[in-house]
Amino acid sequence: DGGITQSPKYLFRKEGQNVTLSCEQNLNHDAMYWYRQDPGQGLRLIYYSQIVNDFQKGDIAEGYSVSREKKESFPLTVTSAQKNPTAFYLCASNEGAYSNQPQHFGDGTRLSIL
Amino acid sequence: AQKITQTQPGMFVQEKEAVTLDCTYDTSDQSYGLFWYKQPSSGEMIFLIYQGSYDEQNATEGRYSLNFQKARKSANLVISASQLGDSAMYFCAMRVITGGGADGLTFGKGTHLIIQP
């Protein structure tokens, strides 16, 4: 089945540590996205990529970094500069060619501070 | 910048009743798309329905319909004949259409819908 796979499902970070969240899709989509969701809140855009080797900052990019070396992969690194990283992280993708296309989401990664 | 406002933090509805979830949006762009997503307690985001700013008819998808009032900048979701499985968080989202469909979505804070038997 085609879809988006996020791993791990749960992740714990120590103070001063960088952690990387994985996102892989086999939908052959050009565009990929990372969102952050805090409890009881909506999703906020961290980074997005419209094509391989290119990405743009979203609304809350500080303390995060991404790469897009392959079409199917868009990993997110939460750096030690992100002082409040505890949240639910969702990866999404869509073809990008047409505006009416919904974004498809992975099942998310829950990140907590130790 | 775009903004989505969902004014109902939580709603309780009797099973089989229709329910309307409110969504208002703010943008200076003329070309945009509006989406509704459902998020069960398990966390995944499920796409429900889409409305384009130039669409003349309200969108419908099975039990879901979108009441689009462009002049009022509102895009309310209507669920007919609610079911227990409809209990979830519901998010309204917007995409401004610049160079195609690859821009990120702006989300509201959501409405927690609980269907009571």
Side-chain angles (χ1 to χ4, degrees):
Chain A
D1 285 337
I4 298 174
T5 301
Q6 289 187 242
S7 62
K9 194 174 180 70
Y10 298 95
L11 187 59
F12 298 91
R13 195 191 91 168
K14 295 179 180 179
E15 292 288 339
Q17 187 183 44
N18 293 353
V19 292
T20 297
L21 284 60
S22 171
C23 177
E24 303 278 331
Q25 54 100 358
N26 61 3
L27 300 166
N28 200 34
H29 285 170
D30 286 315
M32 297 187 73
Y33 311 81
W34 275 105
Y35 293 91
R36 168 180 172 141
Q37 185 178 26
D38 292 285
Q41 300 295 315
L43 282 64
R44 292 182 291 168
L45 183 65
I46 306 173
Y47 268 99
Y48 66 105
S49 168
Q50 298 179 342
I51 198 167
V52 174
N53 292 323
D54 187 44
F55 47 83
Q56 288 79 40
K57 292 182 179 180
D59 300 320
I60 55 165
E62 186 174 349
Y64 300 97
S65 66
V66 293
S67 62
R68 186 85 187 277
E69 297 177 1
K70 298 186 296 183
K71 186 175 184 177
E72 58 270 22
S73 178
F74 190 41
L76 173 74
T77 296
V78 184
T79 74
S80 57
Q82 174 48 248
K83 298 306 179 187
N84 185 23
T86 298
F88 186 48
Y89 292 86
L90 285 155
C91 178
S93 74
N94 71 271
E95 284 192 42
Y98 301 101
S99 59
N100 63 346
Q101 290 169 335
Q103 293 182 1
H104 300 262
F105 286 82
D107 290 340
T109 294
R110 295 191 185 276
L111 175 62
S112 301
I113 291 290
L114 280 178
Chain B
Q2 303 84 44
K3 184 177 181 181
I4 298 284
T5 302
Q6 294 181 254
T7 57
Q8 305 153 308
M11 288 186 71
F12 289 89
V13 174
Q14 289 295 119
E15 190 180 8
K16 299 181 184 177
E17 289 184 352
V19 56
T20 298
L21 304 181
D22 294 340
C23 172
T24 58
Y25 60 91
D26 188 22
T27 180
S28 57
D29 292 90
Q30 298 300 311
S31 185
Y32 51 87
L34 295 154
F35 301 79
W36 276 92
Y37 282 86
K38 172 183 178 180
Q39 186 179 42
S41 57
S42 51
E44 73 269 29
M45 297 289 285
I46 302 167
F47 166 70
L48 298 178
I49 198 166
Y50 167 84
Q51 180 84 41
S53 59
Y54 294 115
D55 293 341
E56 295 185 352
Q57 291 192 331
N58 287 342
T60 59
E61 289 286 349
R63 294 188 299 114
Y64 304 108
S65 61
L66 202 152
N67 184 1
F68 181 48
Q69 298 187 43
K70 194 170 181 178
R72 298 180 61 185
K73 292 189 174 180
S74 74
N76 297 340
L77 177 70
V78 179
I79 306 174
S80 63
S82 57
Q83 302 171 357
L84 296 178
D86 294 333
S87 295
M89 285 291 291
Y90 287 81
F91 292 98
C92 181
M94 158 185 266
R95 167 193 286 147
V96 171
I97 299 164
T98 53
D103 295 333
L105 294 173
T106 299
F107 284 83
K109 293 188 176 182
T111 295
H112 188 191
L113 176 65
I114 297 174
I115 307 298
Q116 297 175 311

